[in-house]
Amino acid sequence: MSERTGKISAINGNMIVAEFENYVLQNEVAYAVAGNEKLKSEVIRIRGRKADLQVYENTESLKVGDKVEFSGELLSVELGPGLLTQIYDGLQNPLPQIAKECGYFLKRGVYLNALSYEQEWEFTPEAKKGDKVKAGDFLGSVPEGIFKHYITVPFSFREEYEVSSVAPKGNYKIKDTIAEIKDKKGNTEKVSMVQLWPVKLPIRAYAEKIKPADPLITKVRIIDTLVPVALGGTYCIPGPFGAGKTVLQQITSRHAEVDIVIIAACGERAGEVVETLLEFPELKDPRTGKSLMERTIIICNTSSMPVAARESSVYTAVTIAEYYRQMGLNVLLLPDSTSRWAQAMREMSGRLEEIPGEEAFPAYLESRIASFYERAGIVRLNNGKIGSVTIGGTVSPAGGNFEEPVTQATLKVVGAFLGLSRARSDARKYPAIDPLDSWSKYESVVEREQVEYVRYILRKSSEVGQMMKVVGEEGTAMSDFIEYLKGEFVDDVYLQQNAFDEVDGATPAERQKYVFGILYEILKSDFTFGTKDEARHFFHEIRQEFKNWNSDPWGSGKFGERQKSLKEKVEKNVKDKG
Amino acid sequence: MRKVYSRILQIVGDVIAVEAEGVGNQELAEINTSRGKSLAQVIKLDGSKVSLQVFAGSRGISTGDEVRFLGHRMQVSFSDNLMGRIFNGSGIPRDNGPSLADNMVEIGGPSVNPAKRIIPNRMVRTGIPMIDVFNSLVVSQKLPIFSVAGEPYNELLARIAMQAEVDVIILGGLGLKYDDFLFFRDTLEEHGALSRSILFVHTASDPTVECIMVPDMCLAVAEQFAIKGKDVLVLLTDMTNFADALKEVAVTMEQIPSNRGYPGDLYSQLAARYEKAVDFSDQGSITVLAVTTMPGDDVTHPVPDNTGYITEGQFYLRNGRIEPFGSLSRLKQQVNGKTREDHRTVMDTMIQLYADFKETKEKLAMGFQVSKWDEKLLKYGALFEEKLMSLKVNVPLEKALDRGWEIMAECFSPEETGIKTEMTNKFWPKSKTPVEQEPRAGEEEGEGIEEGPRTVEELSAGDGNNNSAAGKKN
């Protein structure tokens, strides 16, 4: 194929216009040549002999007349063993290696291999000569950290193949051929351990997509109990700044009971990524006993990095998530924040002078968001294994107002809505998920009946609280007042959680079920009090006891003792049945 | 020899278009006008039409004026000679000193590789309890001060600058009132801090485009010092003017506005500046404190809103004090676990109780009877506001924590605070003597307390005791 080139005819921010001679492909990758630097870009619109390209780098010092080289490939990621524990930018450049080469600052035009081509992996064949295979079928495996990393027939292979040879057990580099397969016409294809996949297309090499049913345990009580998330489901966390979106994401990325966590820091603060980066290797995953980093991949395109790469970073992340799903693993993808991604689209759309929609967002905003979240799901692979991708994105609505286009477009396509409230975070009630506004379509870890009752108490409590603001405490009936206190009590001792307390910070499902049962009993009790101050005093007292209890390790002697003393305190005030 | 162009095609706002060839994006040019020389920067290229924003403004530019391209981007001189100097947004001295041209560095450089950052872990002590106790400032933090016109934000900024232990202070004035510029200069001079300070000042009467340059100039210099191992504190006031300057240029360029006229890339523009705050793994650091005035005291206005999403928290300065609600230092967790074991407990509990106090005050305002609990809260709130919130209070962190316990002990019993028993056993003041000072009656807390009998008070210490009186009693 002859090399196709073009010439820059205009530059506006990170958009360039290139005049081309031959032909170009929509969304193909091209390089703008500035001196000895080649800047990666993507064709996003073609009009006549002119192609509009978004450049993934700063366009400083590019000149009109500079050369543009077209590559003929769509923007793709490299998939293969070695992805775990990596820290990539939005274009899958490994940041630690870039730091080694370029020092403190990111340098434009430097693109490194996402995976090591030198490292050797111990390959064990799974398929035999003569097997019939399709895209996504396992040919063999290599151990990657704590996982068995399956090497599959590349997802881009569309036909049915017959295995003609598989490499014997041994050490191989990722580019080595580990199998040869031939199609019906007899053409032989060589398969290595690494494959490319265009990020904007979903991987579909599975038998069927099934309905998410099992809960994904986050160990955050308010989520698991009140607004649960399912494996293979989707949820969103909208909230004004300072309400704790990112902290909630970080907590989830630590404690969630999934195999792999992919953190996509999209247009957010670099400092937050660094925290994860440096802390995760030190933290132990309670499920495996290994460091948390071994199950983590970080895609990081922070707010000061080029905008166009921000747009591609969420796609890079979801493609890697789908890749691990294809091995029968449960993957949790946490993009933070999808609003920055939407803003990146808006910036490009503005430069293209497209007709703007609401708040100048492009008209295709909704469909892009929908198709992104639709890449989540739980699937049955060709060999019967189940794998899933769960997506939990944060949304940063302008002014904290959920009526804006990104939040609204997201709400249409997610299965759970974990809305953070400024009022709660101002009162230091963390996690600041609003228990009344938030909803979920998935199944909770505790019994539905109990959840319904607690929801009722919370709603009632909030109503009484509102009413009390108008009629005052003295104008409130004792029974209402007690319900009000009950609601506050549930909030204080169960919905709020101290993320810095080792025990309280992560509550396993089993403990949630147990504790919630006790809480339910307390709420169901019929209390009698002489005065409102007495009632308040009582609830303060058991709140104290319950909070202490939350910090007692599950199953420890202290746990039992505290439960007993809590019970005694409660029973003292329960109305005599006689 | 670089070519000189003299075909100015278009002058709109502060943006001119000239026909030229071989010009790089973002390149700098020099324009010779009848009013003198001015710098300009390329912001858009379309065929042979080059658009430039003129730093000194377009007033008086003739279509026949000469434009000479310099072949490089905007630069600033960097050396120790900068110390104690004052420049404008184009880097021209405004203190009658010599202009500097050695060791030029480009401004607005690429961002720091996240892999080269470290988790910030050093606290910046300010002596202001609302910061030290409740929202500790941390080295390498980027933090805006949200305020409204008329509030003493520049005074606060100056005070933090004086008391913070850093090697270099860089002050960026954006649309600064001339008086305020003089205030900063004089304050720094009085406290002997001018010799470790560098000022880039754009005053309200200077050309708009220079305003856009100020943060980049400040941060480029800061970055150079940080790489040399210095801890740098960058103070910017007021970033809303920066955003307004961006808006002005964007509108001139006929960009589609996204929200209230601001360009769609406002977030990215602000982030590119704030994200320069850094703690290098093996070198110095940059801490950024920036005033953002909120038009109409509206935090949902695009400028404070976008800022809040970028920065690591925010301080609200309202009615002359730092508001406990909304104010947040996201990095405080990195440092407040290592100060004293009760730091976090005091911080959380006092704020929760203060929130309850606010609710009670609302109730009171509607004329409801107050319960015993409410009375306790009212007393607590008044004490809290006076002894910790006031900006006049200047005490080290440890003393402020002790004061917190004293205030709580005076108003509540230990279990009413909801603090874990192990903690109260250790820190709850044993002798229930009154804290040094009782709240003065009458002011904010007056309405409710004065009427109802103060039955709950364990202490009958009268109102109006000042420090010395309480001291005598003990």
Side-chain angles (χ1 to χ4, degrees), chain A residues 31-325:
Chain A
Y31 293 89
V33 185
N36 49 9
E37 293 170 317
K38 286 188 176 186
L39 311 181
K40 204 172 197 173
S41 30
E42 181 186 356
V43 176
I44 49 172
R45 186 169 69 183
I46 303 161
R47 289 198 291 199
R49 307 306 299 169
K50 287 184 176 176
D52 295 336
L53 290 88
Q54 62 173 345
V55 186
Y56 291 121
E57 307 273 1
N58 190 339
T59 54
E60 174 246 320
S61 83
L62 276 182
K63 293 186 173 75
V64 169
D66 281 350
K67 195 165 91 170
V68 175
E69 297 172 2
F70 297 98
S71 73
E73 278 169 10
L74 302 184
L75 185 70
S76 304
V77 287
E78 274 186 348
L79 301 169
L83 288 166
L84 288 175
T85 75
Q86 287 278 17
I87 300 135
Y88 292 121
D89 74 0
L91 301 172
Q92 218 197 1
N93 288 301
L95 288 171
Q97 273 90 310
I98 290 197
K100 259 184 220 154
E101 271 193 24
C102 309
Y104 292 118
F105 298 97
L106 295 170
K107 197 163 173 290
R108 68 173 189 177
V110 175
Y111 308 110
L112 302 177
N113 291 331
L115 298 169
S116 162
Y117 283 24
E118 296 309 313
Q119 193 180 346
E120 291 194 338
W121 298 87
E122 194 195 347
F123 176 77
T124 312
E126 300 249 336
K128 310 179 298 293
K129 185 175 179 201
D131 282 359
K132 295 266 189 285
V133 290
K134 280 191 299 193
D137 286 353
F138 299 167
L139 294 171
S141 70
V142 299
E144 182 183 13
I146 45 181
F147 300 101
K148 211 170 180 185
H149 186 120
Y150 289 103
I151 310 299
T152 67
V153 176
F155 309 129
S156 54
F157 286 21
R158 292 202 195 145
E159 296 172 36
E160 193 168 84
Y161 300 83
E162 192 184 307
V163 177
S164 36
S165 73
V166 183
K169 192 176 167 92
N171 287 344
Y172 300 91
K173 293 176 184 170
I174 56 171
K175 276 288 192 184
D176 294 343
T177 302
I178 51 99
E180 287 186 356
I181 55 178
K182 71 172 186 265
D183 64 13
K184 285 185 180 130
K185 289 177 208 137
N187 303 323
T188 302
E189 302 270 5
K190 288 181 178 176
V191 179
S192 71
M193 291 197 262
V194 62
Q195 57 175 313
L196 287 176
W197 184 261
V199 293
K200 289 185 183 167
L201 301 176
I203 296 172
R204 291 225 168 88
Y206 50 79
E208 60 168 338
K209 216 166 176 172
I210 52 185
K211 193 168 182 280
D214 295 331
L216 186 159
I217 307 298
T218 61
K219 296 190 189 162
V220 178
R221 290 191 291 257
I222 185 168
I223 298 181
D224 294 347
T225 303
L226 276 190
V227 279
V229 178
L231 278 175
T234 50
Y235 66 99
C236 68
I237 312 175
F241 63 80
K245 290 183 296 295
T246 304
V247 176
L248 192 57
Q249 291 269 47
Q250 281 176 343
I251 292 171
T252 324
S253 67
R254 279 177 198 195
H255 301 308
E257 294 189 354
V258 290
D259 298 311
I260 287 170
V261 175
I262 300 179
I263 299 169
C266 169
E268 288 284 315
R269 308 172 182 88
E272 286 162 357
V273 185
V274 177
E275 259 174 58
T276 311
L277 223 86
L278 297 177
E279 279 176 4
F280 269 33
E282 312 293 319
L283 293 172
K284 250 205 331 216
D285 182 355
R287 299 195 319 145
T288 60
K290 295 284 180 60
S291 112
L292 266 181
M293 203 61 204
E294 294 209 4
R295 67 162 199 179
T296 311
I297 302 170
I298 300 172
I299 312 289
C300 148
N301 191 270
T302 59
S303 54
S304 61
M305 286 154 85
V307 176
R310 190 192 299 167
E311 202 241 328
S312 68
S313 68
V314 295
Y315 291 110
T316 302
V318 74
T319 308
I320 295 174
E322 286 176 333
Y323 176 63
Y324 279 98
R325 176 199 69 195

Side-chain angles (χ1 to χ4, degrees), chain B residues 89-358:
Chain B
S90 304
I92 297 165
R94 63 188 311 158
D95 59 357
N96 304 324
S99 62
L100 299 173
D102 48 337
N103 191 21
M104 300 298 277
V105 291
E106 288 205 342
I107 69 165
S111 69
V112 172
N113 190 328
K116 275 285 181 186
R117 288 171 181 262
I118 57 167
I119 301 178
N121 52 14
R122 289 178 286 158
M123 180 173 160
V124 182
R125 284 171 178 258
T126 62
I128 301 170
M130 290 315 288
I131 297 180
D132 290 357
V133 177
F134 296 98
N135 285 300
S136 318
L137 180 65
V138 181
V139 169
S140 91
Q141 191 160 24
K142 40 190 179 291
L143 211 62
I145 299 168
F146 286 164
S147 195
V148 287
E151 291 288 344
Y153 45 83
N154 284 336
E155 284 79 356
L156 177 65
L157 216 54
R159 192 173 145 197
I160 293 170
M162 301 290 86
Q163 291 178 338
E165 289 168 1
V166 290
D167 302 317
V168 183
I169 297 165
I170 300 180
L171 176 80
L174 303 108
L176 210 55
K177 256 180 17 192
Y178 207 83
D179 302 356
D180 288 334
F181 160 49
L182 295 178
F183 161 77
F184 273 114
R185 195 191 63 190
D186 296 346
T187 316
L188 288 168
E189 205 156 34
E190 267 168 40
H191 290 77
L194 194 61
S195 58
R196 59 178 174 126
S197 307
I198 304 162
L199 280 66
F200 289 93
V201 175
H202 165 264
T203 63
S205 57
D206 296 337
T208 315
V209 181
E210 280 187 3
C211 185
I212 301 177
M213 312 303 296
V214 169
D216 286 336
M217 300 288 271
C218 293
L219 292 161
V221 172
E223 216 159 60
Q224 294 298 322
F225 276 112
I227 289 175
K228 291 212 158 16
K230 300 267 195 262
D231 286 324
V232 189
L233 176 64
V234 177
L235 306 169
L236 300 168
T237 171
D238 154 4
M239 284 299 275
T240 306
N241 291 332
F242 170 75
D244 287 340
L246 286 178
K247 174 167 81 174
E248 205 177 309
V249 174
V251 170
T252 312
M253 293 298 292
E254 293 172 0
Q255 279 181 24
I256 298 165
S258 68
N259 204 344
R260 296 206 216 178
Y262 289 93
D265 64 353
L266 180 64
Y267 176 85
S268 303
Q269 293 282 3
L270 288 170
R273 275 78 192 185
Y274 282 114
E275 280 285 324
K276 293 273 177 196
V278 65
D279 201 348
F280 284 115
S281 46
D282 44 7
Q283 291 296 343
S285 67
I286 303 175
T287 310
V288 180
L289 263 181
V291 169
T292 299
T293 51
M294 301 182 286
D297 200 8
D298 176 13
V299 72
T300 67
H301 182 277
V303 180
D305 188 50
N306 278 297
T307 305
Y309 280 118
I310 296 162
T311 52
E312 288 149 341
Q314 64 277 330
F315 291 145
Y316 282 94
L317 184 67
R318 212 171 267 146
N319 301 324
R321 54 191 185 207
I322 297 174
E323 278 282 317
F325 304 123
S327 291
L328 169 74
S329 160
R330 288 163 187 269
L331 302 185
K332 65 183 172 191
Q333 319 293 0
Q334 312 290 358
V335 296
N336 65 12
K338 297 179 287 198
T339 48
R340 216 170 80 175
E341 59 176 315
D342 58 328
H343 188 158
R344 285 179 180 170
T345 309
V346 170
M347 172 181 88
D348 288 335
T349 313
M350 290 199 80
I351 293 294
Q352 261 183 18
L353 289 169
Y354 190 73
D356 293 343
F357 155 75
K358 282 278 183 190

Side-chain angles (χ1 to χ4, degrees), chain A residues 339-565:
Chain A
S339 293
R340 305 297 159 227
W341 164 52
Q343 282 182 344
M345 281 193 257
R346 173 167 77 184
E347 266 180 51
M348 265 342 281
S349 166
R351 297 236 162 78
L352 291 170
E353 291 171 1
E354 291 171 344
I355 295 169
E358 208 181 334
E359 287 186 23
F361 282 107
Y364 44 80
L365 175 78
E366 286 200 11
S367 58
R368 292 276 169 90
I369 290 178
S371 56
F372 171 70
Y373 277 101
E374 278 300 300
R375 289 177 76 168
I378 182 160
V379 302
R380 190 185 341 268
L381 303 177
N382 297 334
N383 60 9
K385 283 196 181 219
I386 306 284
S388 72
V389 172
T390 310
I391 301 182
T394 63
V395 184
S396 319
N401 174 11
F402 293 171
E403 303 298 312
E404 55 92 47
V406 183
T407 315
Q408 288 306 315
T410 309
L411 280 182
K412 279 190 202 166
V413 292
V414 293
F417 160 63
L418 280 54
L420 301 186
S421 107
R422 166 84 77 207
R424 283 181 71 83
S425 70
D426 276 353
R428 300 291 195 272
K429 293 180 177 175
Y430 292 118
I433 299 171
D434 192 310
L436 296 176
D437 288 350
S438 305
W439 49 260
S440 166
K441 294 174 184 165
Y442 304 119
E443 280 298 315
S444 165
V445 298
V446 304
E447 279 168 46
R448 185 192 293 260
E449 178 198 350
Q450 295 183 352
V451 175
E452 284 309 314
Y453 182 70
V454 167
R455 271 189 188 284
Y456 157 77
I457 288 283
L458 286 168
R459 212 171 304 121
K460 178 81 188 189
S461 168
S462 144
E463 276 167 21
V464 176
Q466 292 297 326
M467 201 174 67
M468 273 200 322
K469 280 192 188 142
V470 184
V471 299
E473 214 169 282
E474 64 270 28
T476 309
M478 191 58 158
S479 59
D480 277 353
F481 188 67
I482 290 176
E483 300 222 296
Y484 165 73
L485 288 175
K486 279 180 179 172
E488 296 279 287
F489 175 68
V490 176
D491 192 350
D492 281 337
V493 305
Y494 195 83
L495 303 186
Q496 292 173 43
Q497 218 167 331
N498 181 358
F500 297 99
D501 187 300
E502 214 171 296
V503 179
D504 194 24
T507 314
E510 203 187 341
R511 179 171 178 154
Q512 287 190 36
K513 259 183 228 166
Y514 185 79
V515 170
F516 199 77
I518 307 264
L519 183 70
Y520 176 70
E521 289 304 315
I522 297 177
L523 294 179
K524 275 283 196 181
S525 305
D526 223 348
F527 292 107
T528 174
F529 300 106
T531 64
K532 284 177 181 146
D533 277 328
E534 215 177 281
R536 194 191 307 271
H537 183 77
F538 165 73
F539 275 102
H540 277 173
E541 212 173 31
I542 61 168
R543 175 183 75 181
Q544 181 83 353
E545 200 65 22
F546 213 111
K547 272 191 167 174
N548 288 337
W549 194 37
N550 280 340
S551 304
D552 294 332
W554 175 234
S556 68
K558 240 181 163 185
F559 184 87
E561 281 165 38
R562 195 92 72 180
Q563 185 185 344
K564 233 169 97 193
S565 95

